[in-house]
């Protein structure tokens, strides 16, 4: 069976497998034989987790260069490993790092790169990739015509499922000869950001996002998010004002989210904001200006003051649950 | 300092955008200089301004690849302040995917002699893949400092800040370097009257594939490694129920969520 390589980062996110890795491995199993390429150490626990998802072969490297430089060494590891196992496809997560590794692997292997996949189907020995383009206004199906396809897959494009029978993967260390040019961009400092304890934006079933209308006070947005188990998002106006971390920004230059429910609060709905949220299943908007463009796309809109509407909704949801 | 800034001519995101034809290409009417490239141009101009500008021998070349109409992206860049322009234009380039595009762009940059910095936006606003910067860096053998939310050059050391979800990274490289900047990096300037007049006298070079030393089958559909095989327009979202709060809207919101089985 043809090998489908899944890249697994154990440097930036060490420990257990990220949910997205489980999803990629599930996808790889449907398309061929999953081979895990791990940057960093492979603990017994990690090997068992990979085995649970049907991985029979793991190629990994713990060379320090993988951690000290930006993406180029990781891309070299992935490209070399993919060539070693004659991979038919390489799957990576769709974050900025995943996409850049994909880009460089594409150049190294002369392979077509398809990003932002929302589903990948094996069709006649080929992988057909579905994605949405032009800010969600079209869905397209694309394929790579090269010997290897490099695909970055958005979170939750596949439902993760362990293999019917667990395997015991063979773990091989490989040594990558890094090109001097790959060791050009050095990471001189890493500052971890404090965890919020809330779900990640791209993983969340529900997102509550606040904009300039919250006027510096994300309290009501966070309370509604917490009662719904939701992630907190924001417009660029709110992140630019420093009321919340830039990583919460939803939109053209922020996160693209498609949750079951997006609650837009005190956000006007500029085109750049819509570009990140209009593929949500259900959109609710709370805004005191009835002319706000967000109402053009909201399934349920409330013209009102968020500082009155949100606390009341929170109380009501709590009351119904009690 | 010799800086090349990549500028792309893209459909204006303010309007509805469309795919056309059997091969599902982007309809390029109503196009403009990509707003995300304005941050790249600003980064280049700020760096040269701080070093004595054109008089001190600094140069900012705005490079675009695209059909004849894409010359407008170069022109706008010259009006904003770029020193000169290069337009890679060849019918065979139409329909190039990221791989073929980065191949042609890398070849074009190589024709410009030694370059200190190649600066791009974080993504194009049409394809939005954001893989071109990394591919160019790989093809040119330049270190990549991508998604820079801040950028500093001291001597020959370039330092950038990159904001990830869990971690903020400070990254460093020695010139020559390829950088992509986010919309956090700066506040782009606008063209002024003086700039618009001055732009008329600035040099624009047009390069064909032959000038790049590339054959037609290395680019376009023949040289592309990916194909879009089907496309469908998503139905536009329509407005649903809108209510005005008269004191009970929070309860109505809970009702709506319950009806949707979301609570
Ligand atoms: C290159 C570029 C990239 C961009 N990328 C993004 C992006 O990724 N994401 C993004 O969001 N934006 C982005 N923007 C910015 C975008 O154009 C808008 O400026 C931004 O989305 C506006 O944010 P806002 O809706 O919070 O603020 P505003 O447009 O000021 O809207 C605030 C809203 O709050 C409402 N309001 C005020 N007080 C209350 C209250 N008490 N109760 C209820 N409602 C209230 C007002 O009626 C108003 O509609 C980008 C812009 C550019 C140029």
């Amino acid at each position: 069976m043809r090998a489908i390589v899944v890249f697994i980062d154990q440097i930036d996110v060490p420990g257990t497998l990220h949910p997205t890795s489980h999803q990629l491995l599930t996808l790889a199993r449907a398309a061929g034989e999953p081979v895990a390429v791990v940057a960093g150490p492979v603990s017994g626990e990690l090997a068992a987790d990979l085995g649970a998802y049907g991985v029979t072969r793991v190629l990994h490297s713990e060379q320090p260069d993988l951690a000290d430089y930006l993406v180029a060494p990781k891309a070299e590891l992935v490209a070399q490993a993919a060539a070693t196992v004659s991979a038919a496809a390489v799957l990576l997560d769709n974050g900025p790092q995943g996409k850049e590794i994909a880009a460089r692997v594409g150049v190294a292997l002369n392979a077509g790169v398809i990003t932002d996949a929302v589903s990948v189907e094996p069709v006649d020995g080929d992988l057909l990739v579905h994605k949405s383009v032009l800010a969600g206004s079209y869905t397209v199906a694309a394929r790579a015509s090269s010997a290897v396809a490099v695909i970055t897959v958005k979170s939750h494009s596949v439902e993760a499922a362990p293999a019917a029978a667990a395997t015991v993967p063979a773990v091989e260390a490989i040594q990558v000869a890094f090109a001097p040019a790959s060791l050009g961009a050095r990471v001189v400092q890493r500052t971890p950001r404090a965890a919020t304890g809330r779900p990640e934006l791209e993983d969340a079933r529900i997102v509550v996002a606040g904009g300039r209308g919250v006027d510096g006070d994300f309290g009501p947005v966070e309370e509604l998010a917490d009662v719904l188990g939701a992630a907190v998002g924001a417009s660029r106006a709110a992140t630019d004002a420093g009321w919340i971390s830039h990583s919460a920004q939803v939109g053209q230059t922020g996160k693209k989210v498609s949750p079951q429910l997006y609650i837009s609060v005190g956000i006007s709905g500029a085109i750049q904001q819509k570009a990140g949220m209009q593929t949500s299943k259900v959109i609710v908007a709370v805004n005191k200006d009835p002319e706000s463009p967000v109402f053009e796309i909201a399934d349920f809109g409330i013209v009102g003051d968020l500082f009155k509407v949100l606390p009341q909704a929170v109380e009501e949801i709590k009351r119904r649950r009690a | 300092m010799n800086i090349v800034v990549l500028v792309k001519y893209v459909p204006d995101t303010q309007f509805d955008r469309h795919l056309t034809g059997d091969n599902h290409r982007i309809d390029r009417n109503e196009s403009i200089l990509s707003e995300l490239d304005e941050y790249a141009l600003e980064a280049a101009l700020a760096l040269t301004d701080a070093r004595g500008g054109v008089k001190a021998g600094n140069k900012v070349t705005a490079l675009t690849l695209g059909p004849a109409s894409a010359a407008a992206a170069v022109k706008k860049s010259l009006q904003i302040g770029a020193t000169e322009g290069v337009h890679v234009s060849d019918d065979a380039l139409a329909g190039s995917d990221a791989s073929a595009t980065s191949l042609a762009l890398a070849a074009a940059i190589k024709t410009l002699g030694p370059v200190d910095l190649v600066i791009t936006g974080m993504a194009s606003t049409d394809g939005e893949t954001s893989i071109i910067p990394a591919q160019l860096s790989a093809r040119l053998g330049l270190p990549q400092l991508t998604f820079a939310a801040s950028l500093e050059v001291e001597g020959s050391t370039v330092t950038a800040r990159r904001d990830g979800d869990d971690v903020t990274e400070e990254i460093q490289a020695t010139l020559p370097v390829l950088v992509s900047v986010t919309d956090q990096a700066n506040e782009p300037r606008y063209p002024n009257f003086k700039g618009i007049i001055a732009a008329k006298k600035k040099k624009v070079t047009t390069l064909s594939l032959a000038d790049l030393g590339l054959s037609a089958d290395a680019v376009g559909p023949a040289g592309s490694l990916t194909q879009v095989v089907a496309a469908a327009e998503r139905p536009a979202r329509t407005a649903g129920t809108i209510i005005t709060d008269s004191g009970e809207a929070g309860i109505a919101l809970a009702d709506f969520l319950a009806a949707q089985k979301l609570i």
Side-chain angles (χ1 to χ4, degrees), chain A:
Chain A
M1 241 203 309
R2 46 198 216 141
I4 312 289
V5 158
V6 174
F7 172 65
I8 288 164
D9 190 347
Q10 286 290 303
I11 289 171
D12 294 353
V13 261
T16 49
L17 283 177
H18 191 271
T20 311
S21 299
H22 283 149
Q23 295 157 21
L24 293 179
L25 290 169
T26 305
L27 181 57
R29 220 173 52 231
E33 190 167 340
V35 175
V37 173
V38 180
V42 180
S43 65
E45 193 193 346
L46 183 72
D49 201 353
L50 292 169
Y53 281 80
V55 172
T56 49
R57 195 169 174 193
V58 179
L59 275 58
H60 81 117
S61 166
E62 294 181 44
Q63 289 166 269
D65 289 342
L66 291 167
D68 296 346
Y69 298 90
L70 209 60
V71 293
K74 290 178 187 166
E76 284 195 292
L77 164 67
V78 176
Q80 184 184 315
T84 305
V85 302
S86 307
V90 176
L91 306 178
L92 303 103
D93 79 271
N94 197 54
Q97 167 171 286
K99 283 190 181 187
E100 291 189 296
I101 295 174
R104 299 186 72 99
V105 169
V107 171
L109 300 179
N110 196 31
V113 181
I114 304 174
T115 61
D116 305 290
V118 295
S119 81
V120 182
E121 324 165 53
V123 177
D124 303 332
D126 222 7
L127 291 178
L128 194 63
V129 178
H130 300 271
K131 61 185 275 188
S132 92
V133 298
L134 298 178
S137 50
Y138 282 79
T139 51
V140 300
R143 55 180 287 281
S145 50
S146 47
V148 189
V150 182
I151 303 167
T152 65
V153 186
K154 288 189 158 191
S155 296
H156 300 297
S157 304
V158 214
E159 205 171 319
T167 50
V168 180
V171 181
E172 306 158 47
I174 60 172
Q175 191 73 18
V176 185
F178 298 112
S182 294
L183 307 183
R186 182 184 285 276
V187 179
V188 289
Q189 203 185 323
R190 296 175 63 88
T191 316
R193 187 163 298 129
T196 61
R198 297 195 175 87
E200 285 178 43
L201 263 176
E202 280 136 318
D203 293 342
R205 224 178 112 251
I206 302 178
V207 172
V208 185
R212 202 193 309 272
V214 308
D215 199 17
D217 179 8
F218 260 81
V221 168
E222 289 173 344
E223 278 165 29
L224 181 59
D226 289 345
V227 73
L228 295 172
V232 171
S235 73
R236 178 167 162 192
T239 61
D240 278 359
W243 300 336
I244 187 164
S245 156
H246 174 61
S247 61
Q249 184 178 315
V250 172
Q252 184 192 3
T253 54
K255 302 271 159 57
K256 311 269 193 294
V257 299
S258 310
Q260 290 291 323
L261 169 66
Y262 188 88
I263 306 184
S264 161
V265 180
I267 297 177
S268 59
I271 194 95
Q272 295 94 345
Q273 157 71 206
K274 284 184 187 165
M277 48 68 87
Q278 64 188 352
T279 56
S280 302
K281 300 273 175 333
V282 176
I283 296 174
V284 169
V286 180
N287 194 305
K288 67 180 184 191
D289 175 8
E291 302 298 320
S292 282
V294 69
F295 288 125
E296 293 163 11
I297 60 164
D299 299 290
F300 185 62
I302 295 172
V303 179
D305 183 346
L306 72 93
F307 292 101
K308 298 207 176 93
V309 177
L310 264 56
Q312 188 182 46
V314 168
E315 283 319 306
E316 180 64 15
I317 294 165
K318 284 187 181 158
R319 193 185 64 77
R320 290 185 190 196
R321 285 200 180 136

Side-chain angles (χ1 to χ4, degrees), chain B residues 25-173:
Chain B
R25 292 191 189 154
I26 294 171
D27 177 352
R28 298 196 171 276
N29 291 316
E30 312 265 19
S31 288
I32 53 163
L33 166 65
S34 170
E35 58 181 347
L36 296 181
D37 295 341
E38 293 179 15
Y39 297 88
L41 187 56
E42 178 60 38
L45 296 174
L47 285 172
T48 53
D49 286 352
R51 282 160 184 74
V54 183
K55 287 186 204 82
N58 295 296
K59 190 160 104 176
V60 174
T61 304
L63 166 66
T64 198
L65 180 155
S69 55
V74 171
K75 188 173 157 202
K76 173 97 185 274
S77 306
L78 297 177
Q79 293 175 341
I80 295 172
T83 329
E84 58 181 70
V86 175
H87 180 190
V88 179
S89 185
D90 200 301
D91 289 345
L93 286 164
S96 295
D97 72 351
S99 163
T101 303
S102 67
L103 183 79
L105 285 170
I109 293 168
K110 284 180 191 158
T111 68
L112 302 177
V115 166
D116 298 301
L117 272 165
V118 176
I119 310 185
T120 77
M122 62 187 281
S124 69
T125 56
D126 51 357
E128 281 197 301
T129 64
S130 73
I131 62 179
I132 292 281
Q135 294 209 321
L136 264 182
S137 131
R139 293 194 193 278
L140 295 169
L142 294 179
Q144 70 173 73
L145 301 185
T146 39
F147 294 105
S150 76
L151 180 66
E152 273 162 58
V153 182
E154 287 245 349
S156 63
T157 305
V158 189
T159 308
R161 192 188 82 235
R162 177 166 155 128
D163 292 326
D165 279 351
D166 316 314
V167 68
T168 293
E169 286 170 327
E170 193 174 297
I171 40 181
Q172 231 166 44

